[in-house]
Amino acid sequence: MKVLGIESSCDETGIAIYDSEAGLLGDALYSQVDMHTEYGGVVPELASRDHIRRVLPLIRDVMAQAEVSREEIDAIAYTRGPGLIGALMVGSAIAKSIAFTWDVPVIGVHHMEGHLLAPMLEEAPPEFPFVALLVSGGHTQLVSVEGIGQYKLLGESVDDAAGEAFDKTAMMLGLDYPGGPRVAALAEQGVSGRFRFPRPMTDRPGLDFSFSGLKTFTLNTVQQHTVDGQIDEQTRADIARAFEDAVVDTLTIKCRRALRESGMKRLVIAGGVSANKRLREKLGEMAAGENAALYYARPAFCTDNGAMIAYAGCQRLLAGERDAPGIRPMPRWPLETLTPVTDGSR
């Protein structure tokens, strides 16, 4: 089965074609980062309009790249949610229109299920069951995964997601959007240990997260070291390093706890923040100490992309799932409400 995947949940337009037998045949991504940098974050209306301009040309490019004709496409998968309602509407409407025109089935995919399954696109994918850390700008969750659609929420952020905290910290330090990669790059120049930031909610039982207090602590530190509206470059770097170390340590502590409490020996990290170099290093060390295996997607598939949507959609289509008529995006959609996939093939 060849599935055309369309990702449009936020500010990146992702298109891919996945073949259940041959694997990924082609993919392309258009990022709106340059457009939104001027505003310091994503402007939903601008994001929606840009998706309208990009989806069809990207589909043509990917089909040419994969050397696949429209007659060879067996189904369409698109991001149904969660995400920005306008951006989701664009992807949903285009996917449904193409499916109707080409007379092929269509399936709406959960954005975070796409991220969770992205490591399945690698040469050595994880086997079920495993613990997954989903960490992005909008989500920070620990999930027990027994199979596709068999998810149990173990813990989540009670306030800000880790990615959001990175973005807000970038603003405090005067860094451009997108904040996460900018903070990580600045942290590389920082001295570890000059500042000691808290590791929130690690001194109590449970697997929930909280990053709002860490954000406030960062702001206070920045203000304490700002003189006449200026903060020296080394101090900025040291604060970035202290913040990143605190987030990475917090995520690592909770992941170790999740592995021990679940008894599982496989850990998957997914979502935009999973591309963070220091997080991968720290989790790798932790997993080795726990005699566990760590899995993650290649950097290009950590952020939003069409390949993960095409793959996740393919698994559900192979199991016989299809969308009902109508365009019904879901900007809020709990992951654990998804139905289990009892059939399907990688």
Side-chain angles (χ1 to χ4, degrees):
M1 173 180 280
K2 291 183 177 65
V3 179
L4 172 67
I6 302 172
E7 156 61 21
S8 67
S9 65
C10 189
D11 63 335
E12 290 171 315
T13 311
I15 306 295
I17 296 175
Y18 179 83
D19 188 320
S20 57
E21 296 183 1
L24 187 64
L25 301 181
D27 73 284
L29 183 74
Y30 181 84
S31 175
Q32 302 174 6
V33 165
D34 290 344
M35 178 174 65
H36 295 294
T37 296
E38 178 183 352
Y39 304 96
V42 177
V43 181
E45 180 60 28
L46 294 180
S48 303
R49 291 178 181 179
D50 204 60
H51 285 308
I52 294 172
R53 288 192 289 264
R54 307 295 176 183
V55 171
L56 293 180
L58 281 177
I59 289 176
R60 287 192 287 267
D61 290 346
V62 170
M63 292 180 69
Q65 177 191 140
E67 298 182 341
V68 171
S69 67
R70 78 178 217 180
E71 290 79 15
E72 295 176 273
I73 298 294
D74 298 302
I76 311 292
Y78 69 95
T79 304
R80 188 181 180 195
L84 301 176
I85 182 61
L88 294 172
M89 282 289 293
V90 172
S92 300
I94 293 176
K96 290 294 184 84
S97 299
I98 294 175
F100 179 80
T101 303
W102 292 357
D103 193 24
V104 295
V106 60
I107 186 75
V109 173
H110 193 291
H111 181 74
M112 296 312 294
E113 180 171 62
H115 275 305
L116 189 152
L117 298 178
M120 298 295 187
L121 292 163
E122 303 304 315
E123 290 186 4
E127 296 181 359
F128 300 111
F130 55 78
V131 170
L133 172 66
L134 299 177
V135 57
S136 66
H139 299 81
T140 301
Q141 298 177 324
L142 277 166
V143 182
S144 172
V145 181
E146 297 288 340
I148 297 176
Q150 300 177 50
Y151 310 130
K152 178 182 178 183
L153 185 64
L154 302 176
E156 62 182 339
S157 179
V158 298
D159 40 57
D160 298 336
E164 181 183 358
F166 265 101
D167 289 339
K168 295 296 176 58
T169 294
M171 294 177 65
M172 298 174 201
L173 294 173
L175 301 174
D176 290 335
Y177 172 85
R182 310 284 188 188
V183 171
L186 183 59
E188 289 294 317
Q189 305 168 35
V191 177
S192 180
R194 178 182 172 187
F195 298 106
R196 172 71 182 180
F197 284 16
R199 276 61 173 162
M201 295 184 71
T202 58
D203 58 349
R204 67 190 75 175
L207 295 171
D208 285 335
F209 303 90
S210 171
F211 294 104
S212 64
L214 180 59
K215 199 170 60 177
T216 302
F217 193 94
T218 303
L219 177 61
N220 291 338
T221 305
V222 169
Q223 291 175 339
Q224 290 166 9
H225 292 81
T226 298
V227 179
D228 296 329
Q230 300 292 323
I231 182 169
D232 73 81
E233 288 301 310
Q234 189 57 54
T235 298
R236 289 171 73 243
D238 293 345
I239 291 173
R241 177 62 184 269
F243 170 81
E244 184 182 55
D245 284 347
V247 173
V248 168
D249 284 352
T250 299
L251 295 172
T252 301
I253 290 168
K254 293 299 178 104
C255 284
R256 178 188 291 113
R257 191 176 295 175
L259 288 173
R260 290 179 177 179
E261 291 183 5
S262 68
M264 295 185 191
K265 292 298 182 180
R266 285 182 285 270
L267 174 66
V268 166
I269 55 170
V273 182
S274 70
N276 182 277
K277 178 182 176 182
R278 204 173 303 279
L279 177 62
R280 291 190 177 196
E281 291 175 351
K282 197 81 171 184
L283 286 176
E285 294 170 1
M286 180 277 293
E290 297 294 315
N291 194 29
L294 176 65
Y295 299 88
Y296 43 77
R298 70 197 76 169
F301 292 163
C302 290
T303 54
D304 296 349
N305 63 88
M308 68 183 191
I309 301 304
Y311 175 83
C314 184
Q315 306 314 303
R316 292 191 170 275
L317 287 158
L318 287 171
E321 292 190 28
R322 303 289 188 272
D323 258 13
I327 299 172
R328 299 182 178 88
M330 297 182 67
R332 297 183 182 275
W333 190 4
L335 182 66
E336 59 271 24
T337 63
L338 296 180
T339 57
V341 170
T342 56
D343 194 8
S345 170
R346 179 177 177 271

